[in-house]
């Protein structure tokens, strides 16, 4: 090993040691694997990954395909073909958008869009809890924090980009998109706003024919860019679409394999047809069941053991939470992601893994309040949910008893919203619950 490698190894080891000492879990890629226990943890919302129908549709398309394997190059060189454009056109038709572009994953799409499309002098407004692929790309291109009274916006000469998710899969809450669109209309001169909605966790499962949250709210035409990851409900690795003409990554990476196009077409056959509706109905039914059950079952336990919701820490949050809950109830919106909030997330996940579940803890810095994130699927049954909740209650009872004996039960839990440092200032309450951050794009750098 060279001196340089050994210095590098040492510094990486030191980082891991510090992480261990601070109590953060060490992440491992060698498990847990998919098990025979019911799935309460994957993003396979419609249970398509095990669908015999999807398998059949794909195999019949694959058997007659002239090309099935690697694309052999990037889209601008050898890696193009009719199949890709035909799928994009199908997606344009399905999502009723103006254009579509397939990328290899949601992360790649977000990074490409957010690092390339906003121009010098533009303003980016985003929720601090948006997906890290958006946050990192936004922050990477920004120069300074800008006030909402940015001169170019007031003069109507710049563009205000707004980055928002449809549903936030860590907390399972929906963004108040209607309010955001209304506020943007009120505050930003016409033609100077660009609202982007990441539909990763709503694509395929909400809205008419599974077209998503924007379609459900009837906001088509008011949203400028939608990003649909096809790796969640669509149950396919990566592959999503959004509108953009300039994306460096488009020219520098190999196109997805031809096989992927056949899989995605088969997914779309199901999602847009009667079987898709049947699966969405099943999902909605089981999600509602799953919300009601733990709410009662966990009532005896203090938040130091397990809780389903974050207590609001500010009066304004309580009002906004109530308004959001009322609107969700009106729209019958139930997120399939249900967080089990607990300071002992790693311990709970280990317990569930011992019971055969494919559980994982989500901890700081990914989230501020650690949790085991449970996800419902169309294929889950009520009996499976009953059994799973029973297991969590068993763990919580034991943990509660041990904590009481050790005198730890009454301690205060730090449950705060947002991930940013300025959340306590309460200055940016203009749009919605969480911390809003506005940045100006670096003016000295040409982005395209
Ligand atoms: C909101 C959101 N956007 C984008 C992504 C990235 O999608 P992909 O897994 O296709 O890279 C995720 C994945 O977890 C996500 O939750």
């Amino acid at each position: 090993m060279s001196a340089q490698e050994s210095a590098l190894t040492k510094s990486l080891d030191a980082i891991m040691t510090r992480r261990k000492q601070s109590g953060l879990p060490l992440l491992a890629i060698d498990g847990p694997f998919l098990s025979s226990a019911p799935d309460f943890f994957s993003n396979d919302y419609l249970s398509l990954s095990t669908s015999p129908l999807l398998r059949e549709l794909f195999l019949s398309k694959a058997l007659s395909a002239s090309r099935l394997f690697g694309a052999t190059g990037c889209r601008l060189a050898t890696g193009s073909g009719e199949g890709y454009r035909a799928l994009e056109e199908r997606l344009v038709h399905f999502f009723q958008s103006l254009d579509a572009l397939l990328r290899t994953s949601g992360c790649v799409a977000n990074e490409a869009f957010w690092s390339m499309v906003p121009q010098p002098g533009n303003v980016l407004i985003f929720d601090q809890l948006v997906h890290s692929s958006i946050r990192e790309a936004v922050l990477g291109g920004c120069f300074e924090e800008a006030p909402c009274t940015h001169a170019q916006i007031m003069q109507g000469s710049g563009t205000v980009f707004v980055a928002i998710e449809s549903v936030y899969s860590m907390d399972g809450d929906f963004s108040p998109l209607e309010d955001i669109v209304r506020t943007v209309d009120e505050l930003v001169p016409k033609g100077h706003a660009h609202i982007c909605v990441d539909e990763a966790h709503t694509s395929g499962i909400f809205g008419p024919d599974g077209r998503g949250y924007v379609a459900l709210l009837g906001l088509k035409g008011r949203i400028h860019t939608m990003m649909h990851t096809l790796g969640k409900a669509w149950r396919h690795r990566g592959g999503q679409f959004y509108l953009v003409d300039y994306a460096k990554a488009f020219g520098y990476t190999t196109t997805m394999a031809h096989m992927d196009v056949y899989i995605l077409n088969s997914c779309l056959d199901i999602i847009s047809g009667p079987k898709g509706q049947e699966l969405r109905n099943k999902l909605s039914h089981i999600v509602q069941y799953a919300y009601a059950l733990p709410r009662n079952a966990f009532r005896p336990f203090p938040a130091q053991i397990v809780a389903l919701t974050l207590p609001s820490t500010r009066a304004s949050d309580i009002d906004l939470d109530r308004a959001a809950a009322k609107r969700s109830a009106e729209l019958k919106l139930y997120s399939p992601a249900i967080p089990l909030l607990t300071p002992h997330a790693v311990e709970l996940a280990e317990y569930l893994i011992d019971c055969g579940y494919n559980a994982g803890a989500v901890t700081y810095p990914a989230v501020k309040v650690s949790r085991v994130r449970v996800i419902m699927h169309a294929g889950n049954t009520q009996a499976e949910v009953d059994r799973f909740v029973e297991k969590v209650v068993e763990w919580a009872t034991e943990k509660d008893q041990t904590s009481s004996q050790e005198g730890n039960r009454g301690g205060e839990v730090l449950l705060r919203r947002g991930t940013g440092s300025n959340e306590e200032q309460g200055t940016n309450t203009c749009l919605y619950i969480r911390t809003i951050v506005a940045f100006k794009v670096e003016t000295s750098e040409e982005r395209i």
Side-chain angles (χ1 to χ4, degrees), residues 6 12 33 42 60 72 96 98 100 102 153 163 176 205 228 250 273 286 291 319 359 418:
S6 114
L12 295 180
F33 299 107
S42 79
S60 76
T72 76
Q96 302 174 351
L98 294 176
L102 284 160
I153 303 311
I205 56 176
H228 287 260
F250 191 57
I286 198 71
Y291 265 103
D319 288 345

Side-chain angles (χ1 to χ4, degrees), residues 409-445:
R409 197 176 192 254
E412 218 181 292
V413 197
L414 182 68
L415 296 177
R416 275 210 219 118
R417 292 183 165 275
T419 55
S421 56
N422 56 345
E423 76 221 34
E424 297 307 327
Q425 294 167 11
T427 46
N428 295 310
T429 50
C430 56
L431 290 182
Y432 58 107
I433 312 176
R434 300 191 181 110
T435 312
I436 302 294
V437 183
F439 281 98
K440 193 169 91 185
V441 179
E442 161 114 47
T443 43
S444 59
E445 188 192 336

